[in-house]
Amino acid sequence: MFTTRCYLPCFVFILWISLGLLHIGAADDDLIVDKPVTENCLECLCEAKSNCNATKICVNGACGIFRITWGYWTEGGSLTLPNDTSLSEEVFSLYFLAFTNCVNDPICAAETIQKYMYKYGQDCNGDGRIDCLDFGALHKMGNLRCQDELPYTFGRIFHKCLKRKERDAKSKESSITK
Ligand SMILES: *[C@@H]1O[C@H](CO)[C@@H](O)[C@H](O)[C@H]1NC(C)=O
Ligand SMILES: *[C@@H]1O[C@H](CO)[C@@H](O)[C@H](O)[C@H]1NC(C)=O
């Protein structure tokens, strides 16, 4: 029971616990709270989407190495490249150009993914945590359908890439401890 007398000590206690948990989270996986997607995860997303082909191209309205759509980009905060910042939403064609310029730029596209996942991150596969498997499902199928099964080809490449990253991390770890 929280009585008023407990207010300050309890507050300090809860703060201490929260900071502790944040710290553990950070040590665990380089997890930065508002950038939930790791570098490895981003690499597997582009591998499964485009084989990380950096050709500036749109395929059925999905552009760049991560094949980001217009809707995804707007959900992810409509980020723009530095030289596109003065564009307004009213001038639709310029706004559309700002979209293709951003998502065809690997960094702007990756930032869009971070914002999208920060906003919609959820345990799509019900395994009790929110990790790259969920980000893959969110990226491919969106936040409303991320519980569905991954399309075969995307899923195969994505899972293979994650396994490879895991193996690489393990062999790096063991070579450090040797
Ligand atoms: C990248 O994509 C473009 C356009 O689809 C294609 O012409 C090119 O061969 C691809 N490059 C690689 C390395 O796959
Ligand atoms: C600025 O925008 C143009 C297209 O309008 C684009 O081709 C170019 O790469 C951008 N430059 C930078 C530095 O972002």
Side-chain angles (χ1 to χ4, degrees):
M1 267 299 161
F2 282 63
T3 64
T4 44
R5 267 187 315 164
C6 181
Y7 187 74
L8 186 62
C10 289
F11 176 74
V12 170
F13 179 70
I14 288 167
L15 188 68
W16 178 70
I17 293 279
S18 319
L19 288 176
L21 286 178
L22 275 182
H23 183 74
I24 291 165
D28 211 1
D29 199 12
D30 283 345
L31 193 72
I32 301 161
V33 177
D34 63 348
K35 298 211 169 155
V37 189
T38 62
E39 200 64 30
N40 280 345
C41 186
L42 286 171
E43 283 171 26
C44 289
L45 287 176
C46 81
E47 192 167 314
K49 274 291 198 167
S50 73
N51 199 22
C52 299
N53 184 328
T55 307
K56 294 187 193 323
I57 193 178
C58 297
V59 179
N60 297 326
C63 315
I65 56 173
F66 298 108
R67 297 288 190 263
I68 290 174
T69 59
W70 164 268
Y72 188 123
W73 175 73
T74 52
E75 298 278 12
S78 306
L79 299 180
T80 54
L81 292 181
N83 66 353
D84 280 338
T85 46
S86 62
L87 300 180
S88 76
E89 273 188 53
E90 289 96 76
V91 191
F92 182 79
S93 60
L94 291 184
Y95 193 49
F96 190 79
L97 196 61
F99 153 65
T100 53
N101 284 343
C102 171
V103 297
N104 273 318
D105 175 80
I107 294 178
C108 199
E111 289 293 316
T112 299
I113 293 175
Q114 296 288 11
K115 289 209 162 224
Y116 186 92
M117 298 309 169
Y118 180 63
K119 187 169 170 189
Y120 290 118
Q122 57 189 285
D123 184 11
C124 301
N125 61 3
D127 67 354
R129 52 194 178 169
I130 300 173
D131 58 15
C132 192
L133 292 174
D134 303 305
F135 299 142
L138 281 160
H139 190 80
K140 182 69 184 166
M141 300 181 291
N143 65 311
L144 298 178
R145 296 201 306 125
C146 78
Q147 292 91 350
D148 295 357
E149 201 165 320
L150 276 180
Y152 178 77
T153 305
F154 177 90
R156 187 175 52 81
I157 302 171
F158 186 61
H159 287 131
K160 212 165 119 189
C161 175
L162 287 181
K163 289 237 166 68
R164 195 179 71 237
K165 298 283 184 195
E166 217 171 273
R167 263 202 319 272
D168 291 353
K170 276 205 185 107
S171 67
K172 211 187 257 172
E173 219 169 77
S174 65
S175 71
I176 288 168
T177 52
K178 256 175 214 162

XYZ file of all heavy atoms in Angstrom, residues 56 81-84 97 101, ligand 2:
70
model
N 18.635 3.536 -56.220
C 17.463 4.336 -55.843
C 16.305 3.925 -56.737
O 16.269 4.253 -57.922
C 17.761 5.816 -56.019
C 18.826 6.332 -55.068
C 18.945 7.832 -55.198
C 20.178 8.435 -54.538
N 20.645 7.882 -53.288
N 15.229 14.721 -45.848
C 16.649 15.027 -45.928
C 16.849 16.497 -45.578
O 15.929 17.297 -45.739
C 17.173 14.762 -47.338
C 17.202 13.305 -47.782
C 17.778 13.211 -49.196
C 18.006 12.453 -46.828
N 18.051 16.840 -45.116
C 18.297 18.235 -44.713
C 17.890 19.251 -45.787
O 17.340 20.291 -45.468
C 19.809 18.270 -44.494
C 20.164 16.868 -44.148
C 19.196 15.983 -44.889
N 18.124 18.963 -47.044
C 17.800 19.971 -48.066
C 16.338 19.941 -48.503
O 15.930 20.674 -49.368
C 18.749 19.882 -49.273
C 18.578 18.578 -50.035
O 17.849 17.692 -49.607
N 19.239 18.481 -51.179
N 15.557 19.091 -47.860
C 14.130 19.031 -48.185
C 13.258 19.567 -47.056
O 12.058 19.420 -47.077
C 13.710 17.569 -48.454
C 14.095 17.125 -49.858
O 14.280 18.003 -50.706
O 14.208 15.917 -50.078
N 8.218 13.928 -53.403
C 9.652 13.899 -53.692
C 10.442 13.774 -52.382
O 11.438 13.050 -52.316
C 10.043 15.178 -54.439
C 11.388 15.152 -55.139
C 11.424 14.066 -56.198
C 11.668 16.513 -55.776
N 13.049 10.851 -51.716
C 14.426 11.220 -51.362
C 14.838 10.607 -50.027
O 15.953 10.125 -49.868
C 14.581 12.743 -51.282
C 14.646 13.372 -52.656
O 14.893 12.679 -53.650
N 14.421 14.676 -52.718
C 19.029 17.074 -52.027
O 17.862 16.803 -52.792
C 18.088 16.240 -54.063
C 16.776 16.054 -54.770
O 15.950 17.132 -54.591
C 18.846 14.938 -53.939
O 19.100 14.378 -55.184
C 20.127 15.168 -53.192
O 20.788 13.947 -52.974
C 19.903 15.866 -51.873
N 21.181 16.215 -51.284
C 21.467 16.015 -49.989
C 22.811 16.436 -49.535
O 20.681 15.552 -49.193
